[in-house]
Amino acid sequence: MTAEHTRLAAALRELRAGAGLSMAALAERTAYSKSSWERYLNGKSLPPRQAVQELCRLANEPDGRLLALWEIAESYWSGRAVAPAPDPPVDESPRPHPQEAPPPAGTGQRRLRGGRLLVVLASAYTVIVGGAAALLFFLLSDSEAQENEPLPASVPFSLAPQCHGAACEGRDPMRLICGIGPDTLASYRTATGAHVELRHSKKCGASWARTWGTEIGDGIDVTAGGPTHSVRIRNKDDAATFIYTEMTEVRPGSTVRACFRPASADGERECFEARVGGAVTTTRPPSPPVASGPREQRPIPSAR
């Protein structure tokens, strides 16, 4: 189990204990069995992303931080974050030299001295080359030993955002580590009972929308005056947890607009806005008009 997986399992156990959820309660209220939750919380296996989201939902905890931890642990678990294997060690063993033929007989004293000089130079060359090779081998071995040495558990794992402003446009807030500790600009309760929130990350300079309590076929759009990013509830798993859009670039004072599109053909699209840096707002759909009293005005639905 990697250090990243250990951190995720510890965070999941802490969240479960803080919410007072037993293993039986988790099995009863999620799609995962009691034995599966025991493996996830003890670090014996990596939980699915959906399981992390469901635990956050049951604990009424924003899922940004834990999903970021899950992304990192999953990348190591799947091997996507494993560093490439080091190059094979260089063979520094000495190679045999071809034998030299003995000098012909009858050479003079001058050639003998030249031969001795060559022997001395060759010996010095051998010593220099051998020493350099030994030093190189030592440095390579020491470098490989440092690379293969595991990092201490106390080294913190960087969870810094991976984008800012325009670089975040149209990208996943969780994968880019923008979903850790975001602000909620506005909350809205739709006529069908779904919840929609406008989220904002100061560090990333971006906003997005998330929704839960939805039905299959519901959709949500978000824009800040530029591109519109949308997401649709595709299946029961989406409907059972948080679903969020891609990010849109914002600046202080920008107006972010979200629109909820119900699956029902006769349902009206419901939109609301919030300003970056403004007060947090919570909005509920207007009550139906009362016959005996003054008629309440419903907001004009946006064009589909």
mmCIF file of all heavy atoms in Angstrom, residues 6-52:
data_model
loop_
_atom_site.group_PDB
_atom_site.id
_atom_site.type_symbol
_atom_site.label_atom_id
_atom_site.label_comp_id
_atom_site.label_asym_id
_atom_site.label_seq_id
_atom_site.Cartn_x
_atom_site.Cartn_y
_atom_site.Cartn_z
ATOM 1 N N THR A 6 -2.489 5.169 2.007
ATOM 2 C CA THR A 6 -2.591 5.226 3.468
ATOM 3 C C THR A 6 -3.272 6.514 3.922
ATOM 4 O O THR A 6 -4.130 6.501 4.816
ATOM 5 C CB THR A 6 -1.193 5.131 4.096
ATOM 6 O OG1 THR A 6 -0.575 3.900 3.691
ATOM 7 C CG2 THR A 6 -1.267 5.179 5.615
ATOM 8 N N ARG A 7 -2.903 7.644 3.317
ATOM 9 C CA ARG A 7 -3.528 8.926 3.681
ATOM 10 C C ARG A 7 -5.018 8.914 3.370
ATOM 11 O O ARG A 7 -5.830 9.426 4.133
ATOM 12 C CB ARG A 7 -2.837 10.061 2.929
ATOM 13 C CG ARG A 7 -1.405 10.319 3.365
ATOM 14 C CD ARG A 7 -0.855 11.567 2.694
ATOM 15 N NE ARG A 7 0.528 11.814 3.066
ATOM 16 C CZ ARG A 7 1.573 11.411 2.359
ATOM 17 N NH1 ARG A 7 1.377 10.760 1.231
ATOM 18 N NH2 ARG A 7 2.796 11.663 2.756
ATOM 19 N N LEU A 8 -5.388 8.336 2.219
ATOM 20 C CA LEU A 8 -6.802 8.285 1.851
ATOM 21 C C LEU A 8 -7.578 7.438 2.837
ATOM 22 O O LEU A 8 -8.655 7.837 3.308
ATOM 23 C CB LEU A 8 -6.942 7.727 0.434
ATOM 24 C CG LEU A 8 -8.384 7.484 -0.038
ATOM 25 C CD1 LEU A 8 -9.163 8.793 -0.104
ATOM 26 C CD2 LEU A 8 -8.390 6.801 -1.400
ATOM 27 N N ALA A 9 -7.075 6.252 3.174
ATOM 28 C CA ALA A 9 -7.781 5.366 4.106
ATOM 29 C C ALA A 9 -7.939 6.030 5.469
ATOM 30 O O ALA A 9 -8.999 5.942 6.101
ATOM 31 C CB ALA A 9 -7.032 4.041 4.229
ATOM 32 N N ALA A 10 -6.894 6.726 5.936
ATOM 33 C CA ALA A 10 -6.979 7.409 7.235
ATOM 34 C C ALA A 10 -8.027 8.518 7.196
ATOM 35 O O ALA A 10 -8.786 8.706 8.160
ATOM 36 C CB ALA A 10 -5.607 7.972 7.608
ATOM 37 N N ALA A 11 -8.098 9.257 6.082
ATOM 38 C CA ALA A 11 -9.085 10.333 5.968
ATOM 39 C C ALA A 11 -10.504 9.761 5.937
ATOM 40 O O ALA A 11 -11.429 10.338 6.520
ATOM 41 C CB ALA A 11 -8.809 11.150 4.714
ATOM 42 N N LEU A 12 -10.691 8.629 5.266
ATOM 43 C CA LEU A 12 -12.017 7.998 5.216
ATOM 44 C C LEU A 12 -12.439 7.507 6.603
ATOM 45 O O LEU A 12 -13.597 7.657 7.002
ATOM 46 C CB LEU A 12 -12.004 6.839 4.217
ATOM 47 C CG LEU A 12 -11.830 7.208 2.746
ATOM 48 C CD1 LEU A 12 -11.726 5.963 1.894
ATOM 49 C CD2 LEU A 12 -12.978 8.086 2.265
ATOM 50 N N ARG A 13 -11.503 6.905 7.334
ATOM 51 C CA ARG A 13 -11.835 6.439 8.695
ATOM 52 C C ARG A 13 -12.201 7.613 9.603
ATOM 53 O O ARG A 13 -13.152 7.527 10.389
ATOM 54 C CB ARG A 13 -10.646 5.670 9.287
ATOM 55 C CG ARG A 13 -10.380 4.334 8.637
ATOM 56 C CD ARG A 13 -9.447 3.486 9.496
ATOM 57 N NE ARG A 13 -8.157 4.134 9.716
ATOM 58 C CZ ARG A 13 -7.106 3.987 8.930
ATOM 59 N NH1 ARG A 13 -7.198 3.224 7.847
ATOM 60 N NH2 ARG A 13 -5.959 4.582 9.201
ATOM 61 N N GLU A 14 -11.456 8.685 9.483
ATOM 62 C CA GLU A 14 -11.739 9.863 10.304
ATOM 63 C C GLU A 14 -13.122 10.430 9.982
ATOM 64 O O GLU A 14 -13.876 10.811 10.884
ATOM 65 C CB GLU A 14 -10.661 10.913 10.057
ATOM 66 C CG GLU A 14 -10.853 12.192 10.883
ATOM 67 C CD GLU A 14 -9.766 13.222 10.604
ATOM 68 O OE1 GLU A 14 -8.849 12.914 9.811
ATOM 69 O OE2 GLU A 14 -9.842 14.328 11.165
ATOM 70 N N LEU A 15 -13.476 10.477 8.696
ATOM 71 C CA LEU A 15 -14.776 11.002 8.304
ATOM 72 C C LEU A 15 -15.901 10.109 8.801
ATOM 73 O O LEU A 15 -16.918 10.594 9.304
ATOM 74 C CB LEU A 15 -14.831 11.127 6.771
ATOM 75 C CG LEU A 15 -16.122 11.701 6.191
ATOM 76 C CD1 LEU A 15 -16.369 13.107 6.722
ATOM 77 C CD2 LEU A 15 -16.053 11.726 4.670
ATOM 78 N N ARG A 16 -15.734 8.797 8.677
ATOM 79 C CA ARG A 16 -16.769 7.866 9.152
ATOM 80 C C ARG A 16 -16.967 7.985 10.658
ATOM 81 O O ARG A 16 -18.108 8.027 11.154
ATOM 82 C CB ARG A 16 -16.385 6.434 8.788
ATOM 83 C CG ARG A 16 -17.419 5.391 9.220
ATOM 84 C CD ARG A 16 -16.877 3.992 9.111
ATOM 85 N NE ARG A 16 -15.899 3.715 10.148
ATOM 86 C CZ ARG A 16 -16.207 3.260 11.359
ATOM 87 N NH1 ARG A 16 -17.473 3.047 11.685
ATOM 88 N NH2 ARG A 16 -15.264 3.013 12.241
ATOM 89 N N ALA A 17 -15.845 8.056 11.401
ATOM 90 C CA ALA A 17 -15.958 8.151 12.854
ATOM 91 C C ALA A 17 -16.610 9.471 13.268
ATOM 92 O O ALA A 17 -17.448 9.505 14.179
ATOM 93 C CB ALA A 17 -14.569 8.025 13.490
ATOM 94 N N GLY A 18 -16.248 10.550 12.591
ATOM 95 C CA GLY A 18 -16.836 11.842 12.923
ATOM 96 C C GLY A 18 -18.318 11.909 12.649
ATOM 97 O O GLY A 18 -19.057 12.622 13.335
ATOM 98 N N ALA A 19 -18.774 11.152 11.644
ATOM 99 C CA ALA A 19 -20.205 11.149 11.308
ATOM 100 C C ALA A 19 -20.987 10.117 12.111
ATOM 101 O O ALA A 19 -22.218 10.079 12.025
ATOM 102 C CB ALA A 19 -20.380 10.876 9.815
ATOM 103 N N GLY A 20 -20.272 9.279 12.887
ATOM 104 C CA GLY A 20 -20.952 8.270 13.691
ATOM 105 C C GLY A 20 -21.606 7.178 12.864
ATOM 106 O O GLY A 20 -22.637 6.616 13.264
ATOM 107 N N LEU A 21 -21.018 6.841 11.736
ATOM 108 C CA LEU A 21 -21.584 5.826 10.845
ATOM 109 C C LEU A 21 -20.934 4.474 11.116
ATOM 110 O O LEU A 21 -19.707 4.352 11.086
ATOM 111 C CB LEU A 21 -21.356 6.215 9.378
ATOM 112 C CG LEU A 21 -22.076 7.477 8.891
ATOM 113 C CD1 LEU A 21 -21.532 7.908 7.532
ATOM 114 C CD2 LEU A 21 -23.572 7.223 8.801
ATOM 115 N N SER A 22 -21.736 3.466 11.382
ATOM 116 C CA SER A 22 -21.216 2.114 11.567
ATOM 117 C C SER A 22 -21.039 1.445 10.202
ATOM 118 O O SER A 22 -21.533 1.927 9.183
ATOM 119 C CB SER A 22 -22.169 1.288 12.425
ATOM 120 O OG SER A 22 -23.407 1.111 11.741
ATOM 121 N N MET A 23 -20.332 0.320 10.203
ATOM 122 C CA MET A 23 -20.170 -0.437 8.960
ATOM 123 C C MET A 23 -21.523 -0.907 8.430
ATOM 124 O O MET A 23 -21.776 -0.887 7.230
ATOM 125 C CB MET A 23 -19.251 -1.642 9.204
ATOM 126 C CG MET A 23 -17.827 -1.280 9.562
ATOM 127 S SD MET A 23 -16.963 -0.536 8.175
ATOM 128 C CE MET A 23 -15.310 -0.452 8.872
ATOM 129 N N ALA A 24 -22.375 -1.320 9.351
ATOM 130 C CA ALA A 24 -23.702 -1.782 8.942
ATOM 131 C C ALA A 24 -24.502 -0.644 8.307
ATOM 132 O O ALA A 24 -25.210 -0.841 7.310
ATOM 133 C CB ALA A 24 -24.450 -2.358 10.137
ATOM 134 N N ALA A 25 -24.376 0.564 8.876
ATOM 135 C CA ALA A 25 -25.090 1.709 8.324
ATOM 136 C C ALA A 25 -24.568 2.050 6.929
ATOM 137 O O ALA A 25 -25.346 2.382 6.028
ATOM 138 C CB ALA A 25 -24.954 2.908 9.245
ATOM 139 N N LEU A 26 -23.258 1.965 6.740
ATOM 140 C CA LEU A 26 -22.696 2.231 5.416
ATOM 141 C C LEU A 26 -23.200 1.221 4.401
ATOM 142 O O LEU A 26 -23.546 1.573 3.266
ATOM 143 C CB LEU A 26 -21.167 2.193 5.490
ATOM 144 C CG LEU A 26 -20.485 3.364 6.194
ATOM 145 C CD1 LEU A 26 -18.981 3.127 6.275
ATOM 146 C CD2 LEU A 26 -20.765 4.677 5.466
ATOM 147 N N ALA A 27 -23.218 -0.046 4.795
ATOM 148 C CA ALA A 27 -23.685 -1.087 3.871
ATOM 149 C C ALA A 27 -25.160 -0.910 3.537
ATOM 150 O O ALA A 27 -25.589 -1.165 2.416
ATOM 151 C CB ALA A 27 -23.432 -2.463 4.484
ATOM 152 N N GLU A 28 -25.935 -0.471 4.524
ATOM 153 C CA GLU A 28 -27.380 -0.319 4.316
ATOM 154 C C GLU A 28 -27.713 0.887 3.445
ATOM 155 O O GLU A 28 -28.653 0.846 2.652
ATOM 156 C CB GLU A 28 -28.068 -0.190 5.675
ATOM 157 C CG GLU A 28 -29.581 -0.035 5.585
ATOM 158 C CD GLU A 28 -30.226 0.108 6.955
ATOM 159 O OE1 GLU A 28 -29.509 -0.019 7.964
ATOM 160 O OE2 GLU A 28 -31.447 0.349 7.011
ATOM 161 N N ARG A 29 -26.920 1.948 3.551
ATOM 162 C CA ARG A 29 -27.267 3.199 2.889
ATOM 163 C C ARG A 29 -26.441 3.488 1.634
ATOM 164 O O ARG A 29 -26.565 4.547 1.031
ATOM 165 C CB ARG A 29 -27.105 4.343 3.886
ATOM 166 C CG ARG A 29 -28.000 4.176 5.109
ATOM 167 C CD ARG A 29 -27.666 5.163 6.216
ATOM 168 N NE ARG A 29 -27.921 6.538 5.836
ATOM 169 C CZ ARG A 29 -27.702 7.581 6.629
ATOM 170 N NH1 ARG A 29 -27.196 7.375 7.847
ATOM 171 N NH2 ARG A 29 -27.950 8.812 6.214
ATOM 172 N N THR A 30 -25.571 2.543 1.257
ATOM 173 C CA THR A 30 -24.787 2.699 0.032
ATOM 174 C C THR A 30 -24.881 1.427 -0.797
ATOM 175 O O THR A 30 -25.495 0.436 -0.371
ATOM 176 C CB THR A 30 -23.304 2.998 0.335
ATOM 177 O OG1 THR A 30 -22.692 1.844 0.926
ATOM 178 C CG2 THR A 30 -23.157 4.189 1.265
ATOM 179 N N ALA A 31 -24.242 1.434 -1.934
ATOM 180 C CA ALA A 31 -24.274 0.271 -2.837
ATOM 181 C C ALA A 31 -23.151 -0.712 -2.534
ATOM 182 O O ALA A 31 -22.937 -1.659 -3.299
ATOM 183 C CB ALA A 31 -24.168 0.743 -4.287
ATOM 184 N N TYR A 32 -22.437 -0.541 -1.418
ATOM 185 C CA TYR A 32 -21.271 -1.365 -1.114
ATOM 186 C C TYR A 32 -21.504 -2.132 0.180
ATOM 187 O O TYR A 32 -22.086 -1.614 1.132
ATOM 188 C CB TYR A 32 -20.014 -0.498 -1.014
ATOM 189 C CG TYR A 32 -19.802 0.325 -2.260
ATOM 190 C CD1 TYR A 32 -20.271 1.640 -2.334
ATOM 191 C CD2 TYR A 32 -19.184 -0.215 -3.379
ATOM 192 C CE1 TYR A 32 -20.111 2.394 -3.480
ATOM 193 C CE2 TYR A 32 -19.020 0.525 -4.526
ATOM 194 C CZ TYR A 32 -19.491 1.838 -4.576
ATOM 195 O OH TYR A 32 -19.336 2.575 -5.722
ATOM 196 N N SER A 33 -21.045 -3.388 0.209
ATOM 197 C CA SER A 33 -21.284 -4.259 1.350
ATOM 198 C C SER A 33 -20.427 -3.880 2.548
ATOM 199 O O SER A 33 -19.484 -3.089 2.440
ATOM 200 C CB SER A 33 -20.991 -5.712 0.955
ATOM 201 O OG SER A 33 -19.608 -5.875 0.656
ATOM 202 N N LYS A 34 -20.752 -4.488 3.683
ATOM 203 C CA LYS A 34 -20.000 -4.229 4.903
ATOM 204 C C LYS A 34 -18.556 -4.677 4.751
ATOM 205 O O LYS A 34 -17.630 -3.977 5.165
ATOM 206 C CB LYS A 34 -20.668 -4.953 6.075
ATOM 207 C CG LYS A 34 -19.966 -4.750 7.406
ATOM 208 C CD LYS A 34 -20.695 -5.491 8.517
ATOM 209 C CE LYS A 34 -19.967 -5.343 9.845
ATOM 210 N NZ LYS A 34 -20.677 -6.082 10.929
ATOM 211 N N SER A 35 -18.340 -5.852 4.139
ATOM 212 C CA SER A 35 -16.973 -6.341 3.949
ATOM 213 C C SER A 35 -16.186 -5.438 3.013
ATOM 214 O O SER A 35 -14.977 -5.240 3.184
ATOM 215 C CB SER A 35 -16.994 -7.769 3.402
ATOM 216 O OG SER A 35 -17.685 -7.830 2.155
ATOM 217 N N SER A 36 -16.871 -4.869 2.002
ATOM 218 C CA SER A 36 -16.184 -3.943 1.098
ATOM 219 C C SER A 36 -15.732 -2.693 1.842
ATOM 220 O O SER A 36 -14.591 -2.228 1.677
ATOM 221 C CB SER A 36 -17.103 -3.556 -0.056
ATOM 222 O OG SER A 36 -17.409 -4.673 -0.858
ATOM 223 N N TRP A 37 -16.602 -2.151 2.691
ATOM 224 C CA TRP A 37 -16.235 -0.952 3.445
ATOM 225 C C TRP A 37 -15.090 -1.240 4.409
ATOM 226 O O TRP A 37 -14.228 -0.383 4.645
ATOM 227 C CB TRP A 37 -17.445 -0.422 4.209
ATOM 228 C CG TRP A 37 -18.336 0.430 3.374
ATOM 229 C CD1 TRP A 37 -19.601 0.160 2.962
ATOM 230 C CD2 TRP A 37 -18.008 1.713 2.831
ATOM 231 N NE1 TRP A 37 -20.092 1.173 2.193
ATOM 232 C CE2 TRP A 37 -19.139 2.149 2.096
ATOM 233 C CE3 TRP A 37 -16.890 2.526 2.880
ATOM 234 C CZ2 TRP A 37 -19.174 3.367 1.423
ATOM 235 C CZ3 TRP A 37 -16.904 3.744 2.216
ATOM 236 C CH2 TRP A 37 -18.036 4.152 1.500
ATOM 237 N N GLU A 38 -15.065 -2.444 4.984
ATOM 238 C CA GLU A 38 -13.965 -2.803 5.871
ATOM 239 C C GLU A 38 -12.637 -2.795 5.114
ATOM 240 O O GLU A 38 -11.620 -2.322 5.618
ATOM 241 C CB GLU A 38 -14.222 -4.172 6.498
ATOM 242 C CG GLU A 38 -15.344 -4.163 7.540
ATOM 243 C CD GLU A 38 -15.630 -5.553 8.090
ATOM 244 O OE1 GLU A 38 -15.132 -6.532 7.484
ATOM 245 O OE2 GLU A 38 -16.335 -5.666 9.096
ATOM 246 N N ARG A 39 -12.646 -3.309 3.888
ATOM 247 C CA ARG A 39 -11.421 -3.304 3.083
ATOM 248 C C ARG A 39 -11.021 -1.877 2.709
ATOM 249 O O ARG A 39 -9.843 -1.529 2.739
ATOM 250 C CB ARG A 39 -11.605 -4.142 1.817
ATOM 251 C CG ARG A 39 -11.752 -5.632 2.073
ATOM 252 C CD ARG A 39 -11.564 -6.410 0.787
ATOM 253 N NE ARG A 39 -12.504 -5.998 -0.248
ATOM 254 C CZ ARG A 39 -13.717 -6.504 -0.408
ATOM 255 N NH1 ARG A 39 -14.135 -7.450 0.434
ATOM 256 N NH2 ARG A 39 -14.511 -6.093 -1.364
ATOM 257 N N TYR A 40 -12.002 -1.046 2.348
ATOM 258 C CA TYR A 40 -11.700 0.333 1.949
ATOM 259 C C TYR A 40 -11.104 1.126 3.121
ATOM 260 O O TYR A 40 -10.106 1.841 2.959
ATOM 261 C CB TYR A 40 -12.961 1.040 1.449
ATOM 262 C CG TYR A 40 -13.640 0.381 0.283
ATOM 263 C CD1 TYR A 40 -15.007 0.566 0.049
ATOM 264 C CD2 TYR A 40 -12.940 -0.447 -0.588
ATOM 265 C CE1 TYR A 40 -15.637 -0.028 -1.019
ATOM 266 C CE2 TYR A 40 -13.573 -1.053 -1.658
ATOM 267 C CZ TYR A 40 -14.926 -0.850 -1.869
ATOM 268 O OH TYR A 40 -15.553 -1.447 -2.930
ATOM 269 N N LEU A 41 -11.724 0.988 4.296
ATOM 270 C CA LEU A 41 -11.310 1.805 5.434
ATOM 271 C C LEU A 41 -10.014 1.311 6.066
ATOM 272 O O LEU A 41 -9.308 2.081 6.727
ATOM 273 C CB LEU A 41 -12.424 1.832 6.482
ATOM 274 C CG LEU A 41 -13.747 2.480 6.022
ATOM 275 C CD1 LEU A 41 -14.801 2.346 7.097
ATOM 276 C CD2 LEU A 41 -13.540 3.938 5.669
ATOM 277 N N ASN A 42 -9.708 0.027 5.887
ATOM 278 C CA ASN A 42 -8.463 -0.515 6.426
ATOM 279 C C ASN A 42 -7.323 -0.444 5.425
ATOM 280 O O ASN A 42 -6.204 -0.877 5.731
ATOM 281 C CB ASN A 42 -8.667 -1.969 6.868
ATOM 282 C CG ASN A 42 -9.578 -2.066 8.080
ATOM 283 O OD1 ASN A 42 -9.603 -1.170 8.909
ATOM 284 N ND2 ASN A 42 -10.334 -3.150 8.179
ATOM 285 N N GLY A 43 -7.596 0.077 4.233
ATOM 286 C CA GLY A 43 -6.548 0.225 3.239
ATOM 287 C C GLY A 43 -6.189 -1.050 2.511
ATOM 288 O O GLY A 43 -5.163 -1.105 1.823
ATOM 289 N N LYS A 44 -7.014 -2.099 2.635
ATOM 290 C CA LYS A 44 -6.706 -3.354 1.954
ATOM 291 C C LYS A 44 -7.001 -3.290 0.463
ATOM 292 O O LYS A 44 -6.438 -4.048 -0.313
ATOM 293 C CB LYS A 44 -7.501 -4.496 2.591
ATOM 294 C CG LYS A 44 -7.105 -4.758 4.041
ATOM 295 C CD LYS A 44 -7.921 -5.892 4.634
ATOM 296 C CE LYS A 44 -7.522 -6.154 6.086
ATOM 297 N NZ LYS A 44 -8.338 -7.243 6.682
ATOM 298 N N SER A 45 -7.883 -2.405 0.054
ATOM 299 C CA SER A 45 -8.165 -2.205 -1.371
ATOM 300 C C SER A 45 -8.586 -0.753 -1.580
ATOM 301 O O SER A 45 -9.070 -0.104 -0.644
ATOM 302 C CB SER A 45 -9.268 -3.155 -1.868
ATOM 303 O OG SER A 45 -10.486 -2.913 -1.185
ATOM 304 N N LEU A 46 -8.369 -0.280 -2.785
ATOM 305 C CA LEU A 46 -8.709 1.119 -3.091
ATOM 306 C C LEU A 46 -10.212 1.229 -3.346
ATOM 307 O O LEU A 46 -10.749 0.505 -4.183
ATOM 308 C CB LEU A 46 -7.944 1.585 -4.324
ATOM 309 C CG LEU A 46 -8.125 3.056 -4.697
ATOM 310 C CD1 LEU A 46 -7.412 3.932 -3.683
ATOM 311 C CD2 LEU A 46 -7.580 3.336 -6.098
ATOM 312 N N PRO A 47 -10.909 2.130 -2.642
ATOM 313 C CA PRO A 47 -12.347 2.254 -2.859
ATOM 314 C C PRO A 47 -12.643 2.870 -4.217
ATOM 315 O O PRO A 47 -11.843 3.649 -4.748
ATOM 316 C CB PRO A 47 -12.791 3.185 -1.727
ATOM 317 C CG PRO A 47 -11.576 3.996 -1.420
ATOM 318 C CD PRO A 47 -10.409 3.079 -1.632
ATOM 319 N N PRO A 48 -13.786 2.556 -4.817
ATOM 320 C CA PRO A 48 -14.189 3.260 -6.039
ATOM 321 C C PRO A 48 -14.438 4.734 -5.742
ATOM 322 O O PRO A 48 -14.724 5.120 -4.601
ATOM 323 C CB PRO A 48 -15.489 2.544 -6.451
ATOM 324 C CG PRO A 48 -15.514 1.271 -5.675
ATOM 325 C CD PRO A 48 -14.754 1.529 -4.416
ATOM 326 N N ARG A 49 -14.311 5.551 -6.756
ATOM 327 C CA ARG A 49 -14.583 6.982 -6.597
ATOM 328 C C ARG A 49 -15.993 7.203 -6.053
ATOM 329 O O ARG A 49 -16.226 8.072 -5.210
ATOM 330 C CB ARG A 49 -14.417 7.670 -7.954
ATOM 331 C CG ARG A 49 -14.700 9.171 -7.937
ATOM 332 C CD ARG A 49 -14.713 9.712 -9.347
ATOM 333 N NE ARG A 49 -15.030 11.123 -9.375
ATOM 334 C CZ ARG A 49 -14.143 12.114 -9.348
ATOM 335 N NH1 ARG A 49 -12.856 11.820 -9.307
ATOM 336 N NH2 ARG A 49 -14.506 13.366 -9.361
ATOM 337 N N GLN A 50 -16.955 6.386 -6.547
ATOM 338 C CA GLN A 50 -18.344 6.530 -6.119
ATOM 339 C C GLN A 50 -18.497 6.277 -4.628
ATOM 340 O O GLN A 50 -19.283 6.947 -3.943
ATOM 341 C CB GLN A 50 -19.228 5.553 -6.907
ATOM 342 C CG GLN A 50 -20.717 5.718 -6.670
ATOM 343 C CD GLN A 50 -21.250 6.988 -7.297
ATOM 344 O OE1 GLN A 50 -20.709 7.434 -8.297
ATOM 345 N NE2 GLN A 50 -22.286 7.557 -6.733
ATOM 346 N N ALA A 51 -17.723 5.329 -4.077
ATOM 347 C CA ALA A 51 -17.811 5.038 -2.648
ATOM 348 C C ALA A 51 -17.332 6.227 -1.821
ATOM 349 O O ALA A 51 -17.911 6.552 -0.779
ATOM 350 C CB ALA A 51 -16.988 3.794 -2.325
ATOM 351 N N VAL A 52 -16.277 6.893 -2.268
ATOM 352 C CA VAL A 52 -15.790 8.080 -1.563
ATOM 353 C C VAL A 52 -16.847 9.173 -1.587
ATOM 354 O O VAL A 52 -17.113 9.832 -0.575
ATOM 355 C CB VAL A 52 -14.481 8.577 -2.211
ATOM 356 C CG1 VAL A 52 -14.011 9.871 -1.561
ATOM 357 C CG2 VAL A 52 -13.393 7.514 -2.104
#
